[in-house]
Amino acid sequence: VAPGGTLNICKVNLLPHSVRHIEQRYANVSSEGTVNYISIELGARETIINYLTDLSGAESKGHLKSIYIGNEDRIIDLYH
């Protein structure tokens, strides 16, 4: 994210139960920049997600809002 900039990432996953979903999300945020993640994970038998945000400048920010629904034999593995 450029100095003073804002990046908004909103992602909704509704996958079939038979799927293994693996994802990595990365942002490098410069001074006074902001990254906003919104994540809604509603499907897949296995969900593995890694969030990595480098706050590389003064007053840089990273925000995460997420919804995960687990039921039955669903596996959710998060790394923030």
Side-chain angles (χ1 to χ4, degrees), residues 12-48:
V12 178
N13 280 322
L14 180 55
L15 300 168
H17 185 73
S18 60
V19 171
R20 173 187 282 171
H21 175 65
I22 301 171
E23 185 170 339
Q24 178 166 329
R25 299 172 186 171
Y26 172 77
N28 185 339
V29 185
S30 299
S31 51
E32 298 183 10
T34 302
V35 62
N36 298 305
Y37 297 105
I38 299 172
S39 181
I40 302 171
E41 303 294 333
L42 303 175
R45 183 176 183 292
E46 289 183 65
T47 299
I48 302 164

Side-chain angles (χ1 to χ4, degrees), residues 53-64:
T53 302
D54 286 332
L55 302 176
S56 59
E59 299 185 40
S60 56
K61 300 177 199 119
H63 303 283
L64 169 63

